[in-house]
Amino acid sequence: LGEGIGQGGTRTWDASGSDEVAHLNRVSVLDTEQQPRALLDRSQAFVIEVEFTVNRPTPGLDVITLISTNRGTQVLDECLSDLSDAILSPGIHWARLTVPPILGVGDYRVGVWIGLPPYETFAWEEEAVAFRLEGVNHGRSDRLVQLNDAWDLA
């Protein structure tokens, strides 16, 4: 498996010969031009792309992507099964999660879990890749969520 936290916005794993139901191949944080980046503008949406291989079609197989701060505070927890309960065919798949520009300035980690809920795990990378959001924080550096243009003043 991959060594250390992915730098440069991407990390890969070699699971050749794996006999698991599914395995993780790559996790990337992509900018607006779909390029892997570890440094992003917090005012722009970005994509977390998870490439994984399914070896056997398995009902209930799920992919979960988590975003946490450097200090371990979980900010997002999104499941592929929230979108679809389709049984994935054998082969390589790409799951892409678009994150709108709501996260505050700071350092984050992406975690990925592949398995059968609630407990059967085929892949779990708590710190698959790291990234940093830079931009304006209006002097509130501990703010996790920053809603732009959320106020309506009458």
Side-chain angles (χ1 to χ4, degrees):
L1 290 183
E3 303 250 344
I5 296 174
Q7 302 299 316
T10 196
R11 182 173 168 202
T12 59
W13 290 263
D14 178 12
S16 56
S18 171
D19 63 347
E20 291 284 1
V21 167
H23 62 263
L24 186 59
N25 300 330
R26 182 179 50 80
V27 177
S28 297
V29 178
L30 307 176
D31 64 12
T32 56
E33 296 174 4
Q34 303 304 301
Q35 295 301 309
R37 298 279 184 250
L39 183 62
L40 300 159
D41 179 350
R42 75 133 317 269
S43 68
Q44 301 289 319
F46 63 92
V47 172
I48 297 172
E49 182 177 70
V50 178
E51 177 186 305
F52 60 101
T53 299
V54 174
N55 292 319
R56 293 185 297 283
T58 305
L61 182 67
D62 208 354
V63 176
I64 299 174
T65 300
L66 308 129
I67 297 179
S68 302
T69 66
N70 239 10
R71 295 180 225 148
T73 303
Q74 190 170 303
V75 181
L76 292 177
D77 176 345
E78 297 295 324
C79 303
L80 188 59
S81 63
D82 292 343
L83 173 67
S84 170
D85 60 358
I87 298 173
L88 299 173
S89 60
I92 297 174
H93 296 270
W94 293 266
R96 295 178 183 93
L97 174 66
T98 300
V99 180
I102 60 168
L103 298 179
V105 170
D107 295 307
Y108 295 90
R109 310 269 190 221
V110 175
V112 176
W113 180 88
I114 301 174
L116 293 169
Y119 302 115
E120 191 169 356
T121 299
F122 305 125
W124 169 228
E125 292 294 333
E126 188 173 12
E127 296 181 341
V129 70
F131 67 95
R132 177 171 182 74
L133 294 177
E134 288 195 339
V136 178
N137 67 9
H138 301 287
R140 293 173 276 177
S141 60
D142 288 339
R143 188 160 80 168
L144 293 179
V145 175
Q146 188 172 334
L147 301 176
N148 297 319
D149 302 322
W151 287 100
D152 184 13
L153 182 62

